[in-house]
Amino acid sequence: MRERICSAAMDLFLREGFERTSIRRIAAAIGYTPGAIYSYFGDKDDILYAIHEQGFARLGLLLHTLDGGGLSARERFERLGELYLRFAFENPQYYDLMFIKDRTAKKIEELGQWDVGLDTYDFVRAVVRESMRDGALPTGDVEAATFALWASVHGMASLVIRSRCKMIPPDALSTVVAEAYRWTMRAMPAQEPAHPPRARGRVRRSGR
Amino acid sequence: MRERICSAAMDLFLREGFERTSIRRIAAAIGYTPGAIYSYFGDKDDILYAIHEQGFARLGLLLHTLDGGGLSARERFERLGELYLRFAFENPQYYDLMFIKDRTAKKIEELGQWDVGLDTYDFVRAVVRESMRDGALPTGDVEAATFALWASVHGMASLVIRSRCKMIPPDALSTVVAEAYRWTMRAMPAQEPAHPPRARGRVRRSGR
DNA sequence: AGCTTCGATAAACACCGTTCAATATGCTGA
DNA sequence: TCAGCATATTGAACGGTGTTTATCGAAGCT
């Protein structure tokens, strides 16, 4: 039943946008009265939260396709941002819920459930750390580098999703984004491995 | 009168947030009835739009303090992002209106008034172009590099403003952001000037 | 004084999220 | 088979929202 509500809600979010999706409409879409929904969700933002969880499950699945591909640390690092951007542009409504919408953050705070997104962040941090250890990135503050990478791709995604890129011709947008990401990557050059053979071997093996 | 409405609205936005600021409350704050407001603004989002314009005026003023300081292209480039971030963190509600909120973008689209933000973007692009010509940045696609820089700082600002950084201890947040920006800057190294003396002279003089 | 003009009002409309007493439904035990 | 119970659902209500519009009142002009 929670499932039915969620999928009806997401359906309406996609077609009408969140603000125009009322509890009454969600209820009508599944043939119920508004009050019924409150037996399954405490309030409207609880539905948002449930969908946001689904979104993180999807994103997690996508990012973990990086595991076991026999990729070098540098390849993993570069693919990570690409996958993140792909998720954002293929699921803009999910992305909005997960990383932009105010109400989601408010609900997360209310529930104190930060771990949903934290897993994903830990994964990114681990990739950055590995990349540094492997010489695929200049060494430095892991926390800051992780945040810098995340901010960069989130910035691109959220500017596009929230329609702030109208100065770029729509048909050129995707290539500008791709080019900007390439620029960001090129700007973070691979260094000489710190301790070449053992480190790379260890990383390769543990990444199996 | 429009001024009085705007400042009352901004006052309430600051204290209560946009969603909880109703036309009725704005009207009450200046001693009018709700209907009166509609003699001065077509709808609620027109107030948003007016405030967003003020925000861009402020930001423009701040960024143009870079002019005439006798700064090198590289310094201008680095300071640009710092000023942008400063604006965002000192005026988070303005920033939200200008670069994150959905309804602002919708209203801009409705009015077809993209030039407000375009001036600012042109300024950033010009700084990037100058930096490349001056060898303060690796040369390459100006459009992509501008977007990459903007996305990077916007990403940091919007993640913080929309409360997505709870995995970073609050008291460490500002240093992580600063460190991440330094990382981004360090990752975009200055190159040898393309045509050193004449070019630098020209830039210096025109920047007066 | 009469007339016009125009800003402000009050009331209404159609929504919204949310609550809750009342009811319908389906299941259990006798 | 039927009473009783528990649970799922309803429908109406509350207080709010953005927005529209007929009406009013005061000021300005002839």
Side-chain angles (χ1 to χ4, degrees), chain B:
Chain B
M1 179 62 178
R2 274 177 67 99
E3 198 43 55
R4 279 216 290 163
I5 294 173
C6 274
S7 75
M10 198 63 204
D11 233 56
L12 288 172
F13 290 171
L14 295 190
R15 283 212 309 279
E16 315 265 2
F18 174 76
E19 302 296 337
R20 268 175 297 290
T21 301
S22 64
I23 297 281
R24 281 169 174 82
R25 269 204 249 277
I26 297 173
I30 56 174
Y32 281 76
T33 35
I37 296 196
Y38 287 87
S39 311
Y40 302 94
F41 291 94
D43 59 24
K44 197 187 176 187
D45 292 344
D46 272 329
I47 304 177
L48 220 56
Y49 180 82
I51 297 179
H52 133 281
E53 271 183 318
Q54 291 179 11
F56 269 105
R58 279 195 191 209
L59 177 59
L61 232 58
L62 184 63
L63 296 189
H64 276 89
T65 60
L66 288 174
D67 293 336
L71 298 172
S72 73
R74 179 67 190 188
E75 281 168 334
R76 280 161 60 84
F77 177 75
E78 299 208 355
R79 290 272 190 97
L80 181 58
E82 280 168 23
L83 285 180
Y84 187 94
L85 284 174
R86 206 178 93 192
F87 176 83
F89 294 134
E90 282 178 3
N91 312 276
Q93 292 84 359
Y94 268 115
Y95 191 87
D96 199 310
L97 277 184
M98 295 158 66
F99 296 111
I100 309 183
K101 281 226 142 64
D102 241 349
R103 313 180 58 152
T104 316
K106 202 145 265 170
K107 177 54 79 176
I108 294 172
E109 199 134 26
E110 183 190 320
L111 300 176
Q113 295 279 330
W114 294 102
D115 41 319
V116 180
L118 223 133
D119 281 356
T120 308
Y121 196 69
D122 284 344
F123 182 78
V124 178
R125 196 198 283 110
V127 170
V128 170
R129 183 179 289 119
E130 263 184 32
S131 298
M132 281 188 186
R133 197 176 27 185
D134 213 45
L137 261 190
T139 49
D141 183 341
V142 175
E143 208 59 48
T146 306
F147 187 66
L149 172 66
W150 185 29
S152 176
V153 286
H154 169 72
M156 297 184 204
S158 61
L159 285 172
V160 172
I161 289 174
R162 286 294 174 102
S163 316
R164 255 65 181 195
C165 302
K166 300 297 172 172
M167 74 288 285
I168 298 168
D171 55 308
L173 186 56
S174 71
T175 69
V176 169
V177 170
E179 205 54 52
Y181 184 68
R182 244 193 302 278
W183 176 280
T184 305
M185 286 299 107
R186 212 182 319 125
M188 299 182 173
Q191 309 277 88
E192 285 307 300
H195 30 232
R198 278 199 72 230
R200 290 186 66 207
R202 225 171 54 76
V203 169
R204 275 274 168 78
R205 206 164 294 144
S206 78
R208 188 249 122 215

